Amino acid sequence: FRFKDSLAEDLQSADLVISHAGAGSCLETLEKGKPLIVVINDKLMDNHQLELAKQLHRDGYVLYCNCSTLVETLQSMDLSALKPFPPGQPEKFASFLDKVLGFQ
């Protein structure tokens, strides 16, 4: 997609999502419970996307590859091996902030 206001409808109907490793794209997909293959852009300097993809893969939530290995990844993937992403707990962060800022 070049640009869309929201991918929510597309994510809802997807059986598999192939995406770059932007934090927003990864988290939105995983929160919807969709299997995710992250394709790394090898040309980025200080590639934080690679770090995120590797960590999510180590934790068992995504598969990752680069453009040249995408077909191989699709042919050999076992989506049943992926773990469900745990739901967020924003109340913990809010409680932490309240404590740090002296509201508790």
Side-chain angles (χ1 to χ4, degrees):
F1 301 104
R2 285 194 169 280
F3 178 79
K4 290 183 98 170
D5 288 333
S6 173
L7 294 176
E9 187 177 308
D10 299 294
L11 288 174
Q12 191 63 38
S13 64
D15 293 321
L16 170 67
V17 176
I18 301 172
S19 175
H20 74 134
S25 299
C26 290
L27 293 176
E28 187 174 4
T29 300
L30 292 171
E31 287 170 352
K32 296 271 191 252
K34 300 300 180 169
L36 175 61
I37 297 177
V38 175
V39 181
I40 302 303
N41 181 349
D42 294 327
K43 296 182 182 5
L44 291 178
M45 293 179 62
D46 300 322
N47 196 346
H48 64 280
Q49 288 191 6
L50 178 58
E51 293 174 29
L52 177 61
K54 282 184 175 182
Q55 187 61 54
L56 290 173
H57 177 73
R58 276 193 293 268
D59 293 341
Y61 301 123
V62 306
L63 300 174
Y64 81 97
C65 61
N66 58 37
C67 289
S68 63
T69 60
L70 177 58
V71 172
E72 179 184 329
T73 300
L74 289 166
Q75 290 171 336
S76 66
M77 68 184 180
D78 177 7
L79 299 178
S80 69
L82 296 177
K83 297 187 324 190
F85 193 71
Q89 298 176 329
E91 65 279 354
K92 286 187 175 183
F93 182 66
S95 177
F96 169 77
L97 279 181
D98 285 347
K99 187 175 181 179
V100 168
L101 297 173
F103 295 127
Q104 284 185 336

